[in-house]
Amino acid sequence: MVGGGPGAFIGVVHRMAAALDGEFELIAGAFASRPERSREQGRALGLDAGRVYGTWREMAEAEAALGEDRRIEAVSIVTPNHLHHPVAATFLNAGIPVICDKPMTTTLADADDLCDTVERTGLTFALTHNYTGYPMVKEARHLVRSGRLGTVRKVVAEYPQGWLSTRLEETGHKQASWRQDPDRAGGSSAVGDIGSHAHNLVCYVTDLEIDAVFADLSAQVPGRVMEDDAGVLVRFVSGARGVVMASQVSTGEENGLALRVYGDRGGLIWRQECPDRLHLLFPDAARQTLTRGSPWLSAAARHATRLPPGHPEGFIEAFANIYRSAGRKIGAAIAGVEADPLDRDFPDHVDGARGMRFIESVLKSDARERWVGMGGDP
Amino acid sequence: MVGGGPGAFIGVVHRMAAALDGEFELIAGAFASRPERSREQGRALGLDAGRVYGTWREMAEAEAALGEDRRIEAVSIVTPNHLHHPVAATFLNAGIPVICDKPMTTTLADADDLCDTVERTGLTFALTHNYTGYPMVKEARHLVRSGRLGTVRKVVAEYPQGWLSTRLEETGHKQASWRQDPDRAGGSSAVGDIGSHAHNLVCYVTDLEIDAVFADLSAQVPGRVMEDDAGVLVRFVSGARGVVMASQVSTGEENGLALRVYGDRGGLIWRQECPDRLHLLFPDAARQTLTRGSPWLSAAARHATRLPPGHPEGFIEAFANIYRSAGRKIGAAIAGVEADPLDRDFPDHVDGARGMRFIESVLKSDARERWVGMGGDP
Amino acid sequence: MVGGGPGAFIGVVHRMAAALDGEFELIAGAFASRPERSREQGRALGLDAGRVYGTWREMAEAEAALGEDRRIEAVSIVTPNHLHHPVAATFLNAGIPVICDKPMTTTLADADDLCDTVERTGLTFALTHNYTGYPMVKEARHLVRSGRLGTVRKVVAEYPQGWLSTRLEETGHKQASWRQDPDRAGGSSAVGDIGSHAHNLVCYVTDLEIDAVFADLSAQVPGRVMEDDAGVLVRFVSGARGVVMASQVSTGEENGLALRVYGDRGGLIWRQECPDRLHLLFPDAARQTLTRGSPWLSAAARHATRLPPGHPEGFIEAFANIYRSAGRKIGAAIAGVEADPLDRDFPDHVDGARGMRFIESVLKSDARERWVGMGGDP
Amino acid sequence: MVGGGPGAFIGVVHRMAAALDGEFELIAGAFASRPERSREQGRALGLDAGRVYGTWREMAEAEAALGEDRRIEAVSIVTPNHLHHPVAATFLNAGIPVICDKPMTTTLADADDLCDTVERTGLTFALTHNYTGYPMVKEARHLVRSGRLGTVRKVVAEYPQGWLSTRLEETGHKQASWRQDPDRAGGSSAVGDIGSHAHNLVCYVTDLEIDAVFADLSAQVPGRVMEDDAGVLVRFVSGARGVVMASQVSTGEENGLALRVYGDRGGLIWRQECPDRLHLLFPDAARQTLTRGSPWLSAAARHATRLPPGHPEGFIEAFANIYRSAGRKIGAAIAGVEADPLDRDFPDHVDGARGMRFIESVLKSDARERWVGMGGDP
C-alpha cells in the first residue's frame, strides 16, 4: 500500500475491504510522505519492518528486486490525487498490478499517459470507483442493459455533501486541505472528488456516451479558491439528456449520491445512503422495490452479495464489533491488563441465560394460557 | 471455529466479522459433523491440515494440549443450537475463551450450568447477539440511560420474517431443517431463533427487568411441529408494558427487527433494515433523526463506528467487491488462466481516463460559458 | 348536526367532509350542551336562527314536526360518546337517518339496542370509522378478498398516539377531559377511542371473525383513572393470530395507525400517516408500492378517489388555502376593511408576471445556447 | 367559474377547494367552449339556468350588468392557458376580482399587460400556484426568512412527471392535447406547465432574485413538437446557484415536485408527494423533521392548517367518502331507488356493535387475566 498513513480515512477502508474476503494480505507499504510516519504506521499494522519503506520510489524498486514469489502481487494506491499518476506508472513499469483510488490522475493528459502504460504492460489496473461495487448498482446496470427501462431519455445524477460548508481546509483538517489545494487535488474540487463518482455511476449504469456538457461551477464559501458547487447539463450522443450535480456546500447533507434513470418503458432510482434498495417505476404498473440478496436478481448482483436480504451489509460490521471487543478483552486477559471499558460492551453468558429464561417463560405461558413470572417457576 | 462448514450461512459471517479489524486470524476448526466435510472446508479456507479436526471434541483436546503460545486464543461456535452447550463447556474447561452464536443453549437449565462454568473458569464468553453491535443501538441505550426519554412506559419489539412461510424444512434446506427440529433447535423456533434477539434488544437498550409474560404461540404453516409465530405481552417490574412479536410467516418480510421505546419525555424508533438511523420523538419539539458517525453521538456509538456519516456500513463491502474481483483477476493472470467474467467487473484505466475527460470538459465549459463536446477540443 | 360547538375538533372535520362533494348542506343544529353556546355556533355558521336549537331533544322534535320536504334529511352526531346512543335512537325514531361518530355507544348492551332500532326503522345509520374511507384501505380489502395474499395467517394493527402522555385532562383540555371521564367516554379510553379504530380496520380489510382476545390494559400516567395503553392478543376463528396495540402514551407519536396483514401468498402494509401508499410483499418477487389514483386499482379504490396519483389528498386543502385567503381579501375589500395579513399570502399577478419572465428567459437560453439574464433582453 | 366543463380535472379541484371552508358558493359559470356543454355542466352542478352562460364574454357582460349585491363577487378561471389573459382582463375591467389558474398568460407581454390591468382596477387577482398553499411550504419560507438556514447558497427545484412519456396528445386525451398545442399552451410545455411551479416555489420560499438562466430543452418523445424535458441552471443575484428541472417524460414518476435549499447554517428538503413533512439538516446537530400541525410552527403554517398533526390532509377526503356514500344512500332511499353498490361501502350499526363487543371483551380479558371469547360471556 502506498499512502494510508496515520489519520487517513480512505486507507483504512481499503485495508478493511481487502481483508474481508481473504483475497489479499497486507505485507508491504510506504504509508506517508515522511519516512518516520510511514514506519509508525507499519508498526501499528504489525508488518515486517523490512517491508515498510520510507518512500514509494524506494518501495517500488525494492519490491521489484524481490523474486516473483516474494514480492507483492499488487499495490494499492491511496495517496492524494497528484501522486496517483507517478506512483501507478512506476509500479506498473516495475511489473506490479495496481489498485488505485480515484480520480485516476489530475489531468486528462496524465490519464491518457497512464492508459498507455496499462495497455503496454498488460497488467491489471483497478480504480476504486467504489459505488459501482454495490450489488444494487450492478442490478441497475443489468436492468438498463436488459431493456427493462427501454430507451433511456433522461438521467439525473446528484452528489450533495455538506462537509465543506465552512472553510475546513483552514483548520488543518487533513482531507479538506489537500482537496482544496490545486497542487495536490488537481484543477477541481467538487467535480474531481465527487462529481467524478456521479459521472462514473452514469456511465456504468447506462452505457451512454456523453456528447457535450455545459457547466456552472462556483466557490460558495467566501475566500475559497476551488469550486465547491457544480451544476452540469449533459447531452448524450443518443439524444438523451442529463443533469449532474455535485456540491460540497449542501449543508447538512452527508454523502447523498443518487442516480435516476428514465427510459421510455420505465425508470429507476438508487440512493447510496440506502444502498440495498433499487426502486423501479413503470407507466402502467405498481412501483417495485428490489432488495439486495433476493434470489431473483441478476448474476452480477448476486455475485457481489455476501448476505441474505434484510441483513444490511453493515450487519457484518455489527458482528465485527462483538468480535473486536471480545478479541480485545481476551487479549487484555492474556496480557494481564484491563480491557478498555468500551470493549467490555458485548453480550455474554448472563445475557444468554436471561434469554433462555425468557424463552422458557414464553413457552410456559403459551402452554398454560396465563401470565408467567420471569422470577422462576411459581 | 466449530461449525461453519460448506453451505452454512452464519459461519461465513463470523469469519468475515473476525477478519475485518485484524483482531483475529482463523487457524483451526472442526467445521462439520462429518469429518470429511470438515476437512473439505479447512482446505477451502487454506488452513494447515494439522489444525483441521474431524470433531469438536478432538479439536478441544488437541488444542488444549498445545502450548499456550501455539494453541488458539479463542474458539468461535457456530453450530446448531443443541451443540452450543456441550461445545462451549468443553472448550471453557480446556481453558479456551468462547465466542458463541445465540441462543446460548436450548434450555434454561443448560444456560444456568454454562453460566456456572463461565464464572468458575473466569474466561471470556461472548454471545453474538449481533444486533446490539450496531452503533445506533448503542446510541439508543445511551439515550435511555442518560434520561433523555424519561421513565420508560412502553416498549414494542418486533421481529417479522417471512422465510418460513412455506415448509422449507421439508425441502432439504439446511438452516430451515435444524431450526424446525426440536432436537437441534430446542423447544422453540420463532421465539428461540428471533424472539430471543428481540428480547435481548429490549434488555440491552432499556435495562428494564421483566416481571411476567403472557404468550400466544402457533404453528401457522399446516403440518409444522414447532411454532412459527409468537405474540407476547410483557409486564416489566417498573410497571411499564411491552409487546414482543416474532414471526417467521410474515410473508415477504425479510429481517424486520425493530424496536420502539416510549418514556414520559420522549420516544425512540430503530429499524434493523435501516440500521444507521435512530429516530427520536418528543412531545414538544420536532422529530430528530440521528445518523451513525455523527460526531455528537455517545462514546459507545462512536467506538463502534468505522466510517463517517452517509457512508452506509455496506460501503466496505462495495469496496471489497472491487478488491475481490481485482484480486481474482490478478491471481488468474499469475496462474495463466482466464478470470471469471463476473470478476472482470471493476473500474479500470479506461473508466479513469473517461472520468478525467469529463472533469476537464466541465472545467472548460464553465470557463467558456458554452457547451463543450466530450470528443476533444474543438 | 348535534355537537360540534365552539372549540370542538371532530365537528369541524365532519362539516368540511360533508361540504366537499356538495352532497350535504348544513341547515340545522344543536351544537352544544349549553343553549347559548349552541346559538353562538349557529350564528358563526350562518344558519337560520330558527333552525338552531338549544338541545338535541328539542331539535329532534321540531325537525320531525316539519314536513318531509323541509326537515333535515339526515343528522350528524358528533357529541361525546355517552350521548351517541340516546341521540341516535331519538332521531331514528323520529324518522331521520343518522351519521354518527364512533364508537357507536359506551356499552355493548346499548349498541345491541341501537342495532334493533336501526333494523326496525329501516333507516340509514353510518358510523364514521373514517379510516376505512381511505382509497388504499379499500384497495387493501380488495386485495385480501381477491385472494392476492392467500389465506391470512397474521394481522398486526397498531395505533400509537402520544397526546395523553401528560395528564392533559387536568388542564381543562376539552377533548382530553371527556375521553378520560368514564361517565362520558364509557368504560375505556385507549381501546374505546383508538383501539376501536384499529379493530374496525382489521375487520374491514380482512373479513376475519375474532374468536377470543387476551388483553393487558394499564394507566401509565400516574394518577390517571382510565387505561391509556393496551396490548391485545387476538385469535381468529380461522386459526390466524393477531396483535392489536393502542396507546395514548407513546410519547411523540402523532396518529400512527398502521395495519399489516400476512397471508400464505403475500403480505400488505398500510400506514395512515402516509395514506396514499399501500405496500405489498411477496415471497418470490419484488416488493410493490401501490399509489392512490393509479388506473389499475380496484373499482372501490377508484370510486373513493378525487385526484390523480402524486397529488396527495391534502392537495385540495392547499388549493383551498388560496381560495380562503383570496375570498377573505375580496370580502374585506367589499366591506372596506383591511384583510388579515395572513390572508394576503396567496400568489398574485406579480408572481404571474415573474413566472412568465422565467419561462421566456428559459426558452431564449435554450434557443441561443447561452446564459440569458432575467432583467430583460440584452 | 370560466372553464371546468365535463371531463376537466383542475376545475373540479377548484370547486372542491372553494367549497371546503364555506368562503365561496358557486352561482354562475361559462364552463365550456361549446354552449351546450356549458349548460350540461351547469345542470350537473345544480345551478340556476339563468346564471349558466354559453360564453365567457356573455357571462362577463351579464354579471357586470347585475347589481353589486346580486352579481358574482369573484370569478375563477380554469381554462387552457391561452384564455387566461383575455378572460381575466375582461372580468377585471367589468369590476370582478379574479382567481386564475397558472401560468398567468402565454407570453410575458400579456402578463405585463394583465399586471397593468390589475394595478389599474385595484381588484384582487389570485393565481393558483397551489403548491405555495401547503402549510409546510409556508413553514419553509418562514425558516429561510428567519435566518435559520443562514445565507442561501444552493437551491435545487425539481418537477419530474411521467404522464407524457408516450404521445398521449395523439389519443384524444383532453389535458395532454392542449398542453402540447402551442396555440393553447403557449410556447412551452414542460417549463410552462410544471417548471413554472418549480420556479414559483423557489421564489416563494427563498425570496431570491434570479440573475440569469442557462437552459437545455428537448422533446424526448419522437414526433413531439413542444419540449417535454428541461434542465435549467440558475444564477441568483446574490451569487447563489440553482438547478431547476422539469420533465414530463420521467417515466413512472407521478407528481414529484421537490425543493431543496441549502444555506451556510442549514438546509431544508420538502417533497410534494409527502407534503406534511419538512426536513431540516444542520452541520452540527441531528436532522429534524417538522410535521404539519405542530404547535411550534410559524403563524403562517398554522394559519394554513385545518387538522392536527398525524392526520394527513387527505383525512378530510376519507371522511368525505363516508359522507358522500351515506348521502347518496339516503338520497336513493328518499327517491325510492337502489343506491350504487359502491356507495353502500360505509361503516354502519353492525360495525358499531361489533366494535362495542370488542371493547367489552378486551376490558373483561384484562380484568380476569384470561382469554375471553368474542361470542359472548362464557
Side-chain angles (χ1 to χ4, degrees):
Chain A
M1 173 170 280
V2 176
F9 157 55
I10 208 68
V12 180
V13 172
H14 278 252
R15 286 194 293 264
M16 289 191 289
L20 198 66
D21 296 296
E23 302 277 343
F24 288 96
E25 190 183 352
L26 180 62
I27 52 176
F31 298 106
S33 46
R34 286 185 294 149
E36 67 275 18
R37 296 278 284 168
S38 178
R39 282 189 281 272
E40 176 192 334
Q41 181 69 292
R43 276 191 302 275
L45 293 167
L47 297 196
D48 173 353
R51 302 293 279 276
V52 180
Y53 302 95
T55 69
W56 58 266
R57 291 191 190 278
E58 183 191 335
M59 175 174 167
E61 275 175 40
E63 291 290 327
L66 293 171
E68 286 229 347
D69 55 338
R70 287 206 54 223
R71 76 183 186 202
I72 52 173
E73 294 184 351
V75 66
S76 175
I77 303 174
V78 294
T79 63
N81 301 349
H82 68 299
L83 293 175
H84 292 177
H85 179 218
V87 177
T90 301
F91 277 85
L92 287 169
N93 284 324
I96 296 168
V98 167
I99 299 170
C100 182
D101 208 57
K102 45 59 50 188
M104 185 157 147
T105 59
T106 52
T107 68
L108 176 55
D110 284 353
D112 287 339
D113 180 73
L114 192 51
C115 276
D116 291 345
T117 306
V118 173
E119 302 289 349
R120 182 170 41 76
T121 60
L123 295 170
T124 295
F125 180 90
L127 193 68
T128 51
H129 269 305
N130 52 294
Y131 298 109
T132 61
Y134 280 113
M136 299 316 283
V137 169
K138 296 185 186 298
E139 185 69 16
R141 181 170 67 159
H142 167 76
L143 290 168
V144 173
R145 288 186 170 183
S146 70
R148 186 80 180 279
L149 307 188
T151 302
V152 171
R153 290 167 167 174
K154 173 83 175 186
V155 181
V156 181
E158 59 187 79
Y159 205 146
Q161 291 183 330
W163 70 298
L164 290 179
S165 60
T166 59
R167 291 195 70 185
L168 202 58
E169 64 270 28
E170 302 293 294
T171 65
H173 187 285
K174 184 173 170 174
Q175 297 165 46
S177 300
W178 74 253
R179 279 188 177 78
Q180 281 292 328
D181 174 359
D183 289 341
R184 287 180 287 169
S188 162
S189 174
V191 176
D193 190 27
I194 56 176
S196 59
H197 275 304
H199 165 255
N200 180 256
L201 191 62
V202 168
C203 295
Y204 184 80
V205 170
T206 69
D207 286 329
L208 289 176
E209 189 182 347
I210 296 177
D211 179 43
V213 297
F214 183 92
D216 187 30
L217 311 186
S218 62
Q220 287 292 324
V221 173
R224 179 163 283 165
V225 179
M226 296 172 71
E227 100 280 5
D228 51 26
D229 187 82
V232 183
L233 301 180
V234 176
R235 289 178 172 169
F236 295 100
V237 170
S238 70
R241 301 299 165 98
V243 178
V244 174
M245 292 182 281
S247 176
Q248 296 164 322
V249 293
S250 293
T251 307
E253 293 283 359
E254 296 180 342
N255 202 42
L257 176 63
L259 178 70
R260 290 176 275 178
V261 180
Y262 302 101
D264 62 356
R265 295 180 51 200
L268 67 78
I269 302 174
W270 179 78
R271 298 185 183 282
Q272 191 267 155
E273 294 190 355
C274 195
D276 282 359
R277 305 201 162 196
L278 180 65
H279 304 278
L280 301 184
L281 312 178
F282 301 103
D284 49 6
R287 298 174 170 212
Q288 294 188 8
T289 303
L290 296 170
T291 52
R292 188 194 46 73
S294 301
W296 49 85
L297 300 186
S298 63
R302 283 184 286 113
H303 182 68
T305 296
R306 291 170 186 79
L307 294 169
H311 297 72
E313 298 198 305
F315 189 88
I316 293 176
E317 286 85 344
F319 246 98
N321 282 337
I322 295 177
Y323 266 87
R324 188 177 64 179
S325 287
R328 290 180 182 174
K329 180 142 177 284
I330 291 166
I334 289 171
V337 299
E338 281 290 293
D340 183 330
L342 287 169
D343 282 319
R344 288 181 217 143
D345 172 21
F346 56 84
D348 63 10
H349 54 293
V350 176
D351 298 286
R354 188 165 55 176
M356 291 311 301
R357 183 173 299 281
F358 176 74
I359 294 171
E360 293 215 346
S361 299
V362 162
L363 294 172
K364 198 180 294 173
S365 168
D366 177 62
R368 301 186 183 173
E369 298 199 345
R370 63 170 176 76
W371 286 99
V372 169
M374 283 283 280
D377 213 20
Chain B
M1 173 171 280
V2 177
F9 156 54
I10 208 70
V12 181
V13 173
H14 279 251
R15 287 194 293 263
M16 289 191 289
L20 197 66
D21 297 297
E23 302 277 343
F24 289 96
E25 190 183 351
L26 180 63
I27 54 177
F31 298 105
S33 47
R34 286 186 294 151
E36 66 276 18
R37 296 280 282 169
S38 178
R39 282 188 283 269
E40 176 192 332
Q41 181 68 293
R43 275 192 302 276
L45 293 167
L47 296 196
D48 173 355
R51 302 294 282 275
V52 180
Y53 303 95
T55 70
W56 57 267
R57 289 190 193 279
E58 184 191 332
M59 174 175 169
E61 274 175 41
E63 290 290 328
L66 293 171
E68 286 229 346
D69 56 337
R70 287 205 55 223
R71 77 185 186 200
I72 53 173
E73 293 184 352
V75 66
S76 174
I77 304 173
V78 294
T79 64
N81 300 348
H82 69 299
L83 292 175
H84 292 176
H85 179 217
V87 177
T90 301
F91 276 85
L92 287 169
N93 284 323
I96 295 168
V98 168
I99 298 170
C100 183
D101 208 56
K102 47 58 49 190
M104 184 156 146
T105 60
T106 54
T107 69
L108 176 55
D110 284 353
D112 287 340
D113 181 72
L114 193 51
C115 277
D116 291 345
T117 306
V118 173
E119 301 289 349
R120 185 168 41 74
T121 60
L123 294 170
T124 295
F125 179 90
L127 193 68
T128 51
H129 270 305
N130 52 294
Y131 299 108
T132 61
Y134 279 114
M136 299 317 282
V137 169
K138 296 186 188 296
E139 185 69 15
R141 181 169 68 158
H142 167 76
L143 289 168
V144 173
R145 288 186 169 182
S146 71
R148 186 82 181 276
L149 307 187
T151 302
V152 171
R153 290 167 166 173
K154 174 84 175 187
V155 181
V156 182
E158 59 186 79
Y159 203 145
Q161 291 183 330
W163 70 299
L164 290 179
S165 61
T166 61
R167 289 197 72 186
L168 202 58
E169 62 270 29
E170 302 293 295
T171 65
H173 187 285
K174 184 174 171 174
Q175 296 165 44
S177 300
W178 74 255
R179 278 189 176 78
Q180 280 292 329
D181 175 356
D183 290 341
R184 286 181 287 169
S188 162
S189 175
V191 177
D193 190 28
I194 55 176
S196 59
H197 274 305
H199 165 255
N200 180 256
L201 191 62
V202 168
C203 296
Y204 184 79
V205 170
T206 70
D207 287 329
L208 288 177
E209 189 182 347
I210 297 177
D211 181 42
V213 296
F214 182 93
D216 188 31
L217 312 185
S218 62
Q220 288 292 324
V221 173
R224 180 163 282 166
V225 179
M226 296 172 73
E227 102 278 2
D228 52 24
D229 186 80
V232 183
L233 301 179
V234 175
R235 288 177 173 168
F236 295 99
V237 170
S238 70
R241 300 300 165 95
V243 179
V244 174
M245 292 182 281
S247 176
Q248 296 164 323
V249 293
S250 293
T251 308
E253 293 282 0
E254 297 180 342
N255 202 41
L257 176 63
L259 178 70
R260 291 176 275 178
V261 179
Y262 302 102
D264 61 356
R265 295 178 52 198
L268 68 78
I269 301 174
W270 179 78
R271 299 185 184 281
Q272 190 269 153
E273 294 189 356
C274 196
D276 283 358
R277 303 202 163 195
L278 180 65
H279 303 278
L280 301 185
L281 312 178
F282 301 102
D284 49 7
R287 297 174 171 212
Q288 294 188 6
T289 302
L290 296 170
T291 51
R292 188 193 48 70
S294 300
W296 48 85
L297 299 186
S298 63
R302 283 182 285 116
H303 182 68
T305 295
R306 291 171 186 77
L307 294 170
H311 298 72
E313 297 197 308
F315 188 88
I316 293 176
E317 286 86 344
F319 246 98
N321 282 337
I322 294 177
Y323 266 87
R324 188 176 65 181
S325 287
R328 291 180 182 174
K329 180 143 179 281
I330 291 166
I334 289 172
V337 299
E338 279 291 291
D340 183 329
L342 288 169
D343 283 319
R344 289 181 215 141
D345 172 21
F346 56 86
D348 63 10
H349 54 293
V350 177
D351 298 287
R354 188 165 53 177
M356 290 313 301
R357 182 173 299 281
F358 177 73
I359 294 170
E360 293 212 349
S361 298
V362 162
L363 294 174
K364 198 181 293 173
S365 168
D366 177 63
R368 301 185 184 174
E369 298 200 343
R370 62 169 175 77
W371 286 98
V372 170
M374 283 283 279
D377 213 19
Chain C
M1 174 170 280
V2 176
F9 156 55
I10 208 68
V12 180
V13 173
H14 278 251
R15 287 193 292 263
M16 288 192 289
L20 197 66
D21 296 298
E23 301 278 342
F24 290 97
E25 189 183 352
L26 179 63
I27 52 178
F31 297 105
S33 47
R34 285 186 293 149
E36 68 275 19
R37 296 278 282 167
S38 177
R39 281 189 282 271
E40 178 193 332
Q41 181 69 291
R43 275 192 302 276
L45 293 168
L47 297 196
D48 173 352
R51 302 294 280 276
V52 181
Y53 302 94
T55 70
W56 56 266
R57 290 190 192 281
E58 184 191 336
M59 175 174 167
E61 275 176 40
E63 290 291 327
L66 293 172
E68 287 229 347
D69 55 337
R70 287 207 53 222
R71 76 185 186 199
I72 53 174
E73 294 184 352
V75 67
S76 174
I77 303 174
V78 293
T79 64
N81 300 349
H82 69 299
L83 292 175
H84 293 177
H85 179 217
V87 177
T90 300
F91 276 85
L92 287 169
N93 283 323
I96 295 169
V98 166
I99 297 170
C100 182
D101 207 57
K102 46 60 49 189
M104 184 157 147
T105 59
T106 53
T107 69
L108 176 56
D110 284 354
D112 287 341
D113 180 73
L114 192 52
C115 276
D116 291 345
T117 305
V118 174
E119 301 290 348
R120 183 169 40 75
T121 59
L123 294 171
T124 294
F125 179 91
L127 193 68
T128 49
H129 270 305
N130 50 294
Y131 299 108
T132 62
Y134 279 113
M136 298 317 282
V137 168
K138 296 185 186 297
E139 185 69 15
R141 181 169 68 157
H142 167 77
L143 289 168
V144 172
R145 288 187 170 181
S146 71
R148 186 82 181 277
L149 307 188
T151 303
V152 172
R153 290 167 166 175
K154 174 84 174 188
V155 181
V156 181
E158 59 187 78
Y159 204 145
Q161 290 183 331
W163 70 299
L164 290 179
S165 60
T166 60
R167 292 196 70 186
L168 202 58
E169 63 271 29
E170 302 293 294
T171 65
H173 187 285
K174 184 173 171 174
Q175 296 165 45
S177 300
W178 74 254
R179 278 188 178 79
Q180 279 292 329
D181 174 358
D183 290 342
R184 286 180 287 170
S188 163
S189 174
V191 176
D193 190 28
I194 57 177
S196 58
H197 275 304
H199 165 255
N200 179 257
L201 191 62
V202 169
C203 296
Y204 184 79
V205 170
T206 70
D207 285 329
L208 289 176
E209 189 182 346
I210 296 177
D211 180 43
V213 296
F214 182 93
D216 187 31
L217 311 186
S218 62
Q220 287 292 325
V221 173
R224 180 164 282 164
V225 179
M226 297 173 72
E227 101 280 1
D228 51 26
D229 186 81
V232 184
L233 301 179
V234 176
R235 289 178 172 168
F236 295 99
V237 170
S238 70
R241 300 302 165 96
V243 178
V244 174
M245 292 182 281
S247 176
Q248 296 164 322
V249 293
S250 293
T251 307
E253 292 282 359
E254 296 180 341
N255 202 42
L257 176 63
L259 178 70
R260 289 177 276 177
V261 180
Y262 302 101
D264 61 356
R265 294 180 51 201
L268 66 79
I269 301 174
W270 179 78
R271 299 184 183 283
Q272 191 267 156
E273 294 189 356
C274 195
D276 283 358
R277 304 202 162 194
L278 181 64
H279 304 278
L280 300 185
L281 312 178
F282 300 102
D284 49 8
R287 299 175 170 210
Q288 294 188 6
T289 301
L290 296 170
T291 51
R292 187 194 48 71
S294 301
W296 48 84
L297 300 186
S298 63
R302 284 183 285 114
H303 182 67
T305 295
R306 291 171 186 79
L307 294 169
H311 297 71
E313 298 198 307
F315 189 88
I316 293 175
E317 286 86 344
F319 246 98
N321 283 336
I322 295 177
Y323 266 87
R324 188 177 65 180
S325 287
R328 290 181 183 173
K329 180 142 178 282
I330 292 166
I334 290 172
V337 298
E338 281 290 293
D340 184 329
L342 288 169
D343 282 320
R344 286 180 218 143
D345 172 22
F346 57 85
D348 63 9
H349 55 292
V350 177
D351 298 287
R354 189 165 54 175
M356 291 312 302
R357 183 172 299 279
F358 176 74
I359 295 171
E360 293 214 346
S361 299
V362 162
L363 294 173
K364 196 180 297 175
S365 168
D366 176 63
R368 301 186 185 174
E369 298 199 344
R370 62 168 176 78
W371 286 98
V372 170
M374 282 284 278
D377 213 20
Chain D
M1 174 171 279
V2 176
F9 155 56
I10 210 67
V12 180
V13 173
H14 278 252
R15 287 194 292 264
M16 289 192 288
L20 197 66
D21 297 296
E23 303 277 343
F24 289 96
E25 192 182 350
L26 179 63
I27 52 178
F31 298 106
S33 47
R34 285 185 294 150
E36 67 276 18
R37 295 279 283 168
S38 177
R39 282 189 281 271
E40 175 192 333
Q41 181 70 291
R43 276 193 301 277
L45 292 167
L47 298 196
D48 174 352
R51 303 292 281 275
V52 180
Y53 302 95
T55 69
W56 57 268
R57 291 189 192 281
E58 183 190 335
M59 175 174 167
E61 273 175 42
E63 290 290 327
L66 292 171
E68 286 229 346
D69 55 338
R70 286 207 55 225
R71 76 184 187 202
I72 53 173
E73 294 183 351
V75 67
S76 174
I77 303 173
V78 293
T79 63
N81 300 348
H82 69 299
L83 292 175
H84 292 177
H85 179 217
V87 177
T90 302
F91 277 85
L92 286 169
N93 285 323
I96 296 170
V98 167
I99 299 171
C100 182
D101 208 56
K102 46 61 46 191
M104 185 156 145
T105 60
T106 52
T107 68
L108 176 56
D110 284 352
D112 287 339
D113 180 72
L114 192 50
C115 276
D116 291 345
T117 306
V118 173
E119 301 290 349
R120 183 170 39 76
T121 59
L123 294 171
T124 295
F125 179 91
L127 193 70
T128 51
H129 270 304
N130 51 293
Y131 299 108
T132 61
Y134 279 114
M136 299 316 283
V137 169
K138 296 186 187 295
E139 185 69 15
R141 181 170 67 158
H142 167 75
L143 289 167
V144 173
R145 288 187 169 181
S146 71
R148 187 81 180 277
L149 307 188
T151 302
V152 171
R153 291 167 167 173
K154 174 83 174 186
V155 181
V156 181
E158 59 187 80
Y159 204 146
Q161 292 183 329
W163 71 297
L164 290 179
S165 60
T166 60
R167 289 196 72 184
L168 202 57
E169 64 269 29
E170 303 293 294
T171 66
H173 187 286
K174 184 173 170 174
Q175 297 165 44
S177 301
W178 73 255
R179 278 188 177 78
Q180 281 291 331
D181 175 358
D183 289 343
R184 285 180 288 169
S188 163
S189 175
V191 176
D193 190 27
I194 56 177
S196 60
H197 275 305
H199 165 255
N200 180 256
L201 191 62
V202 168
C203 296
Y204 184 79
V205 169
T206 70
D207 286 329
L208 289 176
E209 189 182 347
I210 297 177
D211 179 45
V213 297
F214 182 93
D216 186 31
L217 312 185
S218 63
Q220 287 292 324
V221 174
R224 179 163 284 164
V225 179
M226 297 171 73
E227 100 280 3
D228 50 25
D229 186 80
V232 183
L233 301 179
V234 176
R235 290 178 172 169
F236 295 99
V237 170
S238 71
R241 300 299 166 98
V243 179
V244 174
M245 291 182 281
S247 176
Q248 295 164 323
V249 293
S250 293
T251 307
E253 293 283 358
E254 296 179 342
N255 202 42
L257 176 63
L259 178 69
R260 289 177 276 178
V261 179
Y262 302 101
D264 61 357
R265 294 179 52 197
L268 68 79
I269 302 175
W270 179 79
R271 298 186 182 284
Q272 191 268 153
E273 294 189 357
C274 195
D276 283 358
R277 303 203 163 194
L278 180 65
H279 303 279
L280 301 185
L281 312 178
F282 301 102
D284 49 6
R287 297 174 171 212
Q288 294 189 7
T289 302
L290 296 170
T291 51
R292 187 195 49 70
S294 301
W296 49 83
L297 300 185
S298 64
R302 284 184 284 115
H303 182 67
T305 296
R306 290 171 186 77
L307 294 169
H311 296 72
E313 298 199 306
F315 189 89
I316 294 175
E317 285 86 345
F319 246 99
N321 282 337
I322 295 177
Y323 266 87
R324 187 176 65 180
S325 288
R328 289 180 183 174
K329 180 143 179 281
I330 291 166
I334 290 171
V337 299
E338 280 291 293
D340 183 329
L342 287 169
D343 282 319
R344 288 181 216 141
D345 172 21
F346 57 85
D348 63 10
H349 54 293
V350 176
D351 298 286
R354 188 165 55 175
M356 291 312 301
R357 183 173 298 281
F358 176 74
I359 294 171
E360 293 215 348
S361 298
V362 163
L363 294 173
K364 199 181 294 174
S365 167
D366 176 64
R368 300 185 185 175
E369 297 199 343
R370 63 171 176 76
W371 286 98
V372 170
M374 283 283 280
D377 213 20

